[in-house]
Amino acid sequence: MARPDILNPLFASVSTVKGVGPQLSKLMASFFGAPENQDAVLLDVLMHMPSGIIDRRQQPGVQFAQPGAISTFLLHIDRHLPPPRNNKRVPYRIEAHDESGEITISYFAGRASWLEKTLPVGEKRYVSGPVTFYHGMAQLNHPDYIVAEDKFDELPLVEPVYPLTHGLTSKKLQLVTQFALSKLPSVPEWISPARIQMNGWPSFGEAMHQTHNPKTPADAKIEGAARARLAYDEYFAGQLALQLVRATMTRESGVQRQLDGTITAKVRSALPFALTEGQDQAVLDIEKDLESNRKMARLVQGDVGSGKTVVALMAMAAMAEAGHQSALMAPTEILATQHYATISAIAEQAGLRAALLTGKMPVGERRAIQARIESGEIDIVVGTHALFQSSVLFKSLGLTVVDEQHRFGVHQRLALSEKGRKTELLVMTATPIPRTLVLTHFGDMDVSLLKEKPAGRQPIDTAVLAASEYDRVISRLKAKVAEGAQAFWVCPLVEESENLDVISAEDRHKSLANVFGNRVGLVHGRMKADEKQAVMERFQNNELSILVATTVIEVGVDVPNATIMIIEHAERFGLSQLHQLRGRVGRGSQRSACLLLHGEKLTEMAEARLITIRATEDGFEIAEKDLELRGQGDLLGTRQSGMPGFRIAIPDFHKDLLEVAHEDAIDVLERNPGLQGEEGQAIRTLLYLFRKDLAIPLIRAG
Ligand code: ADP
Ligand code: MG
């Protein structure tokens, strides 16, 4: 179905508005996040919500004006007092009065011709702005609005205030917004009458008018009915899209897998440790999912070091019992290789055949492995997203495991869902995700939580030091390395480019090699996969004492013997990143340390981050603090990975609406899976308005 014609006017470029030139149009494209090489459209402007209002309704009369208060007066203009020539420090003043008293309107560098026309002597004008006092005399400096007595209607008594950017003025934005409002068509209602009535919500069109053209402050309030309705709409559209995606993925009703527990038992006995309670529970959850006739869509969420890999292995072992293959997809080559190393040893002891498949493998080797996957000789394939290229054919893929899903871009995820459509799905993530985000980013996956860390873990001593303590750090490191310790040394993140990251890592590698000789290795993102791999292996085998690295080691690297983590310019890293990095140590039974070195100048934010990371190892607490410090959008790196952010809904205010929208979306699609009839038409319109129309082809036919 194509976009409903009634919406076309809203998809017109902002450049069609009089007064918006190419430069402003370009600015707005980037400000509103329009797709590359496209203009922002009127709809984008309507979706840009006010952050507050200016209330101009106070008309106290001059005598009762309060300093600083934004007030509106009906003034009789008495006299113009232009400044003496060539004296720019004296303002152009205009004396005026109402029944209660006198007031001066003043303009620095005011243009006489314009002022004489705008404020003609002997006439009355409505004038609005903040009042100041000068020598006891009420003043309006550069008032915001002046309108003729009979044009009172044109004065925005309650004026929305918008987030702006350099080069986009409030007046300009309001102009475009008002134009866009005038193009807003009447759209069919997609919310059920009951829900509308219960909340006292206006229609979509009314809600847009109220927020952008408020008559009372309540109209535009974030908690107000208009804004709540629009927030619901945004959530509803998002939830519908997610449900449609999920329905596509789980459409083939699940297969009831027959598990006999033989292979998982072998894996358990091959493991050098017992599973934690959380791991046991997660495995039980997964087995139950597999045995049910519903398709599994489960998220295993556990802090760094909580042992998610083993859970994945158990799941794959269970799938092998059921007679099908499993694929484990990791976000990087290093991680895939590492997972393979951990998994293959244990898998082999349990009689499972595992293989590694990455994009960087030599073609011949890859083909050979592909052939074995196709013939069913392989039970478990570990790899990067190369696994889901069309050339890889599975004999019978039953389970897809995705590690650290938030690292994947949209394209990989789409490719995954193509291939994984018929399989059970298990997602593992270290980022503690609040329920709101689980719903918005993953739909309603079931969640297994790994709350505790494996027993015997020692806390990590975290210290914050100035970079000027470098010499002391080195001498302590020397002593530790002499005792056989291994250390990660993470180099500063340089915002401008990865190249600079690499340069700083190379420099640090050189200076450390001066002290530690060939016991120091280097990995960074610009190295070839096999080079990185070789260095990692030497570190894992304890042939290297110190591994200098850019953030390539951030996710998932597991070297239990490494007990020291040193992070340079720690102030440049985000909280979650620091937590992830620190999680690389403290994995064995030995006590570990994390040193955060910071540069001279610390911003308040950076200091708050370092204090937090020193104070706690609790990933949930850190994630919460991170949310607080950075705001919602960034937690999963939504910008980079193209995941949905919200324009209208503010989760802190509209959290409850998300749940409601979630349930309504499930409900509608259960009742009307083909989205037919008037209701279906209305919902499709909603999906277009909120740019979720990519989901429309997923609507079940008939
Ligand atoms: P993450 O959840 O960060 O992916 P890993 O799966 O890499 O964690 O596990 C971290 C480390 O903990 C690994 O060395 C792993 O072998 C070990 N581990 C996992 N489960 C247990 C357990 N139940 N008892 C002891 N060690 C465990
Ligand atoms: Mg992991």
Side-chain angles (χ1 to χ4, degrees):
M1 184 190 92
R3 181 166 74 211
D5 286 341
I6 51 164
L7 297 185
N8 288 345
L10 295 180
F11 286 85
S13 159
V14 291
S15 66
T16 59
V17 185
K18 226 166 119 195
V20 179
Q23 206 176 343
L24 185 56
S25 162
K26 221 169 134 191
L27 182 74
M28 289 172 94
S30 81
F31 185 54
F32 293 124
E36 213 169 318
N37 297 323
Q38 290 183 30
D39 285 351
V41 298
L42 297 181
L43 182 62
D44 292 317
V45 182
L46 290 179
M47 294 290 180
H48 186 61
M49 292 283 114
S51 52
I53 49 122
I54 296 173
D55 188 350
R56 305 188 179 283
R57 292 173 307 164
Q58 296 306 318
Q59 299 189 48
V62 168
Q63 195 193 335
F64 306 102
Q66 298 295 316
I70 291 184
S71 310
T72 300
F73 305 96
L74 178 56
L75 298 176
H76 185 272
I77 309 302
D78 298 320
R79 188 151 87 107
H80 281 234
L81 299 168
R85 248 174 235 279
N86 300 329
N87 191 343
K88 289 212 174 100
R89 274 185 297 169
V90 176
Y92 189 116
R93 289 179 303 148
I94 297 145
E95 293 179 348
H97 74 271
D98 65 7
E99 303 92 83
S100 69
E102 295 180 355
I103 192 164
T104 304
I105 305 166
S106 64
Y107 286 87
F108 281 92
R111 237 177 345 111
S113 56
W114 180 80
L115 287 168
E116 277 158 16
K117 212 168 73 208
T118 317
L119 294 161
V121 172
E123 291 191 22
K124 282 185 176 174
R125 289 289 182 270
Y126 279 99
V127 183
S128 182
V131 181
T132 56
F133 282 82
Y134 185 70
H135 292 312
M137 177 74 184
Q139 282 207 0
L140 285 163
N141 297 322
H142 296 253
D144 304 330
Y145 286 93
I146 300 168
V147 300
E149 201 179 355
D150 57 347
K151 297 266 169 63
F152 185 64
D153 285 353
E154 291 177 10
L155 189 66
L157 286 182
V158 179
E159 183 184 20
V161 182
Y162 297 92
L164 297 170
T165 182
H166 185 72
L168 178 62
T169 64
S170 169
K171 287 247 156 90
K172 215 34 160 212
L173 180 58
Q174 297 208 25
L175 181 97
V176 184
T177 309
Q178 294 306 318
F179 181 81
L181 268 184
S182 74
K183 297 289 176 194
L184 189 68
S186 140
V187 292
E189 182 57 80
W190 45 79
I191 307 181
S192 71
R195 168 114 19 255
I196 292 268
Q197 216 178 0
M198 190 165 63
N199 292 290
W201 280 342
S203 71
F204 177 79
E206 283 162 2
M208 276 291 176
H209 277 278
Q210 281 177 24
T211 14
H212 290 299
N213 253 338
K215 294 285 172 281
T216 69
D219 287 348
K221 255 197 353 213
I222 290 169
E223 313 87 307
R227 186 69 180 271
R229 190 233 141 96
L230 297 173
Y232 171 90
D233 288 341
E234 185 171 41
Y235 282 145
F236 190 37
Q239 289 300 311
L240 284 163
L242 278 168
Q243 289 304 322
L244 286 168
V245 171
R246 174 144 199 231
T248 315
M249 282 173 70
T250 59
R251 182 158 306 159
E252 277 89 347
S253 60
V255 182
Q256 282 178 282
R257 315 279 177 182
Q258 305 292 328
L259 311 179
D260 59 16
T262 49
I263 304 182
T264 45
K266 283 187 195 154
V267 169
R268 267 181 210 272
S269 59
L271 285 171
F273 45 72
L275 296 190
T276 65
E277 226 171 273
Q279 285 170 325
D280 263 330
Q281 186 56 51
V283 171
L284 271 180
D285 293 344
I286 290 163
E287 287 173 345
K288 225 189 261 158
D289 290 344
L290 296 182
E291 285 172 332
S292 86
N293 60 5
R294 233 180 47 126
K295 191 157 294 183
M296 174 164 80
R298 182 168 294 279
L299 187 69
V300 173
Q301 185 181 311
D303 204 358
V304 280
S306 57
K308 295 182 290 292
T309 316
V310 174
V311 174
L313 176 56
M314 288 291 281
M316 297 192 289
M319 185 47 76
E321 282 169 19
H324 299 278
Q325 297 166 298
S326 298
L328 167 61
M329 179 162 93
T332 65
E333 303 253 331
I334 287 195
L335 272 183
T337 315
Q338 180 189 295
H339 279 324
Y340 175 69
T342 325
I343 283 171
S344 59
I346 308 273
E348 218 163 276
Q349 293 180 58
L352 294 171
R353 294 151 304 176
L356 176 70
L357 190 77
T358 71
K360 302 239 167 92
M361 274 179 158
V363 183
E365 198 177 323
R366 204 167 131 185
R367 290 233 175 92
I369 291 173
Q370 275 172 225
R372 292 171 64 214
I373 295 173
E374 202 170 338
S375 70
E377 275 170 71
I378 301 289
D379 305 301
I380 293 175
V381 193
V382 180
T384 54
H385 63 272
L387 277 183
F388 290 98
Q389 280 165 2
S390 49
S391 59
V392 183
L393 300 171
F394 289 83
K395 172 147 188 255
S396 162
L397 183 62
L399 168 67
T400 307
V401 184
V402 186
D403 191 20
E404 312 286 1
Q405 164 150 341
H406 68 277
R407 296 265 142 183
F408 289 100
V410 181
H411 293 295
Q412 281 97 314
R413 296 202 289 142
L414 280 179
L416 163 78
S417 63
E418 273 305 309
K419 194 138 259 173
R421 187 165 286 183
K422 293 200 170 71
T423 76
E424 320 264 356
L425 178 67
L426 185 65
V427 175
M428 303 192 290
T429 175
T431 316
I433 314 177
R435 164 106 178 127
T436 338
L437 288 184
V438 172
L439 279 182
T440 53
H441 295 281
F442 300 94
D444 65 339
M445 292 186 89
D446 301 306
V447 179
S448 297
L449 268 184
L450 302 183
K451 286 213 191 79
E452 80 275 52
K453 298 239 166 109
R457 290 282 164 80
Q458 302 275 348
I460 303 170
D461 301 313
T462 301
V464 177
L465 286 175
S468 52
E469 307 257 13
Y470 179 76
D471 291 341
R472 243 183 68 204
V473 173
I474 293 296
S475 64
R476 268 167 66 183
L477 188 57
K478 252 188 188 156
K480 288 286 180 193
V481 165
E483 291 168 15
Q486 284 185 284
F488 291 102
W489 189 299
V490 177
C491 284
L493 193 68
V494 186
E495 291 254 308
E496 298 88 74
S497 86
E498 196 187 329
N499 269 331
L500 294 178
D501 286 356
V502 170
I503 289 169
S504 77
E506 281 169 343
D507 285 350
R508 184 51 74 216
H509 177 246
K510 259 187 225 140
S511 62
L512 289 173
N514 283 336
V515 183
F516 296 94
N518 61 6
R519 299 284 300 172
V520 189
L522 170 68
V523 283
H524 59 66
R526 287 285 155 92
M527 283 160 69
K528 290 215 188 86
D530 47 349
E531 288 170 6
K532 274 192 277 192
Q533 193 47 43
V535 178
M536 285 304 300
E537 261 166 36
R538 291 184 62 211
F539 189 59
Q540 256 150 353
N541 299 335
N542 205 351
E543 290 161 39
L544 296 172
S545 298
I546 300 171
L547 184 68
V548 178
T550 56
T551 51
V552 292
I553 60 155
E554 187 187 336
V555 222
V557 171
D558 187 37
V559 185
N561 191 53
T563 54
I564 302 170
M565 167 63 62
I566 297 168
I567 304 173
E568 268 193 79
H569 275 291
E571 77 276 11
R572 295 188 194 163
F573 294 84
L575 255 183
S576 311
Q577 227 175 354
L578 289 172
H579 178 61
Q580 291 280 336
L581 285 168
R582 180 174 57 184
R584 299 307 110 218
V585 297
R587 303 190 143 229
S589 52
Q590 301 209 45
R591 214 171 165 92
S592 293
C594 173
L595 291 185
L596 304 171
L597 302 181
H598 63 79
E600 289 292 302
K601 286 200 195 82
L602 278 186
T603 63
E604 226 170 276
M605 269 271 262
E607 197 176 347
R609 287 199 296 264
L610 296 181
I611 289 173
T612 305
I613 206 84
R614 187 176 57 193
T616 179
E617 268 187 70
D618 181 334
F620 282 87
E621 208 177 314
I622 289 169
E624 242 156 51
K625 189 73 189 177
D626 203 19
L627 262 182
E628 195 185 302
L629 290 174
R630 291 204 294 183
Q632 173 104 5
D634 256 17
L635 185 67
L636 294 178
T638 46
R639 297 260 151 65
Q640 300 88 302
S641 57
M643 286 209 224
F646 295 113
R647 318 188 81 169
I648 296 178
I650 299 179
D652 275 351
F653 288 93
H654 304 125
K655 222 186 341 234
D656 302 342
L657 291 177
L658 176 59
E659 293 281 348
V660 176
H662 173 65
E663 257 138 51
D664 288 354
I666 292 179
D667 186 54
V668 167
L669 288 171
E670 241 162 47
R671 263 190 302 110
N672 185 359
L675 291 180
Q676 294 182 327
E678 261 176 51
E679 180 191 45
Q681 187 59 35
I683 285 177
R684 287 161 199 253
T685 307
L686 168 76
L687 291 171
Y688 275 104
L689 276 172
F690 284 89
R691 307 259 178 140
K692 298 290 181 202
D693 44 298
L694 273 176
I696 285 181
L698 302 179
I699 297 169
R700 195 184 312 197

